[in-house]
Structures are given as structure tokens and as C-alpha cells.
Amino acid sequence: MVGIVIVSHSTKVAEGIRELALQMAAAAQRIVAAGGLVDGAIGTDAIKIKEAIITANDGDGVAVMVDLGSAVLSAELAIEMLEDQEIVAAIADAPILEGTIAATVEASVGQPLSRVIATAEGARELRKQ
């Protein structure tokens, strides 16, 4: 099952999105929050993201959901640091909350990483009204 990593500048935002996504997830779904810096400050940490990807991976790949700016850069660096491991991870160009929920539902029914990423990115088109 594709794992999900949530990367936000804020630990609380990442944990909150994870909490909501778990409501939609299969019991075995791995969803890992990688928000904030190790000391709890606002920011992103490539090492923390790398460890989250490793934790979320069960062999089917990992979808990485990011909020903005340096979260993308840190996630890209984290994925580059995985080059010595056999983990496939991809960043979804999607709104972090809606994209994470869509990705979680898709991953929970056993879809492959490419489909999970595409579904998350489709969340960009969701209208509120």
C-alpha cells in the first residue's frame, strides 16, 4: 500500500492533516507527519522528511504531500538522499489538505503510486461551491 508523508512548515498543521486523513484510511495505511523542525520551530527538515518517507514505505512507494516554498525543496532533497535505498517517492503538486485526503483514499484501496499522485493532484480542481 502506498504510504503518505505530510510535509508542512508547522508540526501542528502536519499532525492535524494526518489526524483527518486517518479517518479516511484503511487500518494498515501508513501516514506520517513530517512538520516543523526537530525543536518544534516553524520550518522544514530534509532529514526528518527522509525518515518519514522510510517509515511510510512498505515497498509500494510513498506520496509526499507538501505545503509551500521550502517544503518542496526539503522534500526534493529528502528524496535525493534516498538514492541508496530502494524506495520510490514522489511529490504531489496538490493542495496539502485536499490532496492528502484524496491520496489517502486512493492509497487505502490499493492503487499504485502513480494513481495516488494523480488523484491527489486532481484535488486542485475541487470547488467549494
Side-chain angles (χ1 to χ4, degrees):
M1 187 178 297
V2 172
I4 308 288
V5 169
I6 304 162
V7 179
S8 172
H9 285 72
S10 165
T11 301
K12 291 178 182 177
V13 169
E15 288 292 337
I17 293 171
R18 179 181 180 273
E19 180 182 11
L20 187 58
L22 285 171
Q23 299 299 311
M24 317 288 180
Q29 181 66 56
R30 294 182 186 185
I31 305 173
V32 181
L37 299 177
V38 174
D39 65 0
I42 296 293
T44 58
D45 180 336
I47 300 296
K48 187 174 185 179
I49 298 166
K50 174 188 168 194
E51 291 170 359
I53 292 170
I54 292 169
T55 300
N57 183 54
D58 74 355
D60 291 332
V62 177
V64 182
M65 311 305 299
V66 297
D67 58 5
L68 49 93
S70 65
V72 177
L73 299 174
S74 294
E76 289 173 342
L77 180 58
I79 291 170
E80 287 177 19
M81 290 189 296
L82 292 168
E83 68 184 1
D84 61 334
Q85 302 190 37
E86 294 185 20
I87 298 175
V88 177
I91 299 169
D93 182 11
I96 190 167
L97 175 58
E98 292 88 342
T100 299
I101 299 302
T104 297
V105 171
E106 203 73 358
S108 290
V109 296
Q111 293 298 317
L113 179 60
S114 61
R115 179 69 183 239
V116 171
I117 293 293
T119 299
E121 292 178 345
R124 288 187 304 233
E125 306 303 322
L126 295 175
R127 297 182 52 94
K128 305 296 182 194
Q129 294 184 352

